[in-house]
Amino acid sequence: MEQHRFLFELERIAKPAYDCVVLTGRLAYHTQLAAEQKLAAAAAAVEHPLVIVDTSGLQFLDSTGLALLVRFFKRVVSAGRAMAIVVRENAMIEKILLIAKLNRLLPIAADEQQVLALAPLSSPGPIEQAVLLEAWQQRRAEGGDGSG
C-alpha cells in the first residue's frame, strides 16, 4: 500500500578512481534503521581513497537523514578516505545540505567531474578530507563552479 513512501535504497558502485554511493528514496526518520545498516555496510566496503555520495535520487531528507549522512562521513574519514556529495539537478537536497552547513565539511558538487577535477585527486595515495575541502573552496573562490 503506502510502503513505497518510506523506501530508501543505496547502491555502491566501484568506479576506476572512486567509490560512488548512490542514494535514492527517502533518507529520513522512517527509514533510519535500514539506512543506517546500508550506510555502515557501504562504508565498510569502500575500496578507493575517495567516496562520492550521489544524492540526486533522494526525494526527501530530514534531520535524521542529515545525521545519518554525517555519521557516514565520519566513518569514511576515520578510515582515511575523503568524501564529497553530488547533487546534480536536485536543488531541494542541495538547499538542505547547505542550510545544514555540510559544505563546511565536504565538497557539495553538481556532478562527479567537478570533484574529480580537483588537484589533490591527481596525486596517488590517500586523500585527506581537509586537503580535498581546501582545494574545493579554492576552486569556488576562483569561480571554478557555481555549486555548494
Side-chain angles (χ1 to χ4, degrees):
M1 299 201 239
E2 293 292 315
Q3 293 265 358
H4 68 281
R5 289 184 341 151
F6 303 120
L7 211 56
F8 169 78
E9 292 298 326
L10 179 151
E11 180 182 11
R12 189 185 67 80
I13 304 166
K15 304 270 185 165
Y18 63 96
D19 280 87
C20 184
V21 176
V22 181
L23 308 180
T24 55
R26 299 170 64 88
L27 187 53
Y29 176 78
H30 296 293
T31 61
Q32 69 180 329
L33 295 177
E36 178 67 31
Q37 292 172 347
K38 291 175 183 181
L39 287 164
V46 166
E47 300 171 359
H48 294 90
L50 175 64
V51 177
I52 297 179
V53 178
D54 184 342
T55 61
S56 62
L58 284 180
Q59 300 162 346
F60 185 79
L61 178 65
D62 69 4
S63 60
T64 301
L66 284 168
L68 291 170
L69 275 178
V70 170
R71 199 169 307 137
F72 179 74
F73 168 77
K74 287 180 178 180
R75 283 186 178 128
V76 167
V77 172
S78 69
R81 291 166 164 71
M83 182 173 134
I85 292 180
V86 167
V87 293
R88 296 196 201 289
E89 307 278 324
N90 197 335
M92 177 191 69
I93 296 300
E94 181 179 17
K95 185 174 182 180
I96 292 168
L97 296 172
L98 293 175
I99 289 171
K101 299 188 184 329
L102 289 189
N103 58 319
R104 292 184 179 178
L105 297 175
L106 68 162
I108 298 174
D111 58 44
E112 289 93 343
Q113 295 311 312
Q114 288 182 344
V115 178
L116 295 174
L118 298 174
L121 299 180
S122 61
S123 60
I127 304 163
E128 291 185 35
Q129 185 67 36
V131 173
L132 178 67
L133 182 60
E134 183 179 328
W136 177 253
Q137 291 170 338
Q138 182 177 358
R139 172 161 262 188
R140 287 185 54 228
E142 294 168 356
D145 88 82
S147 161

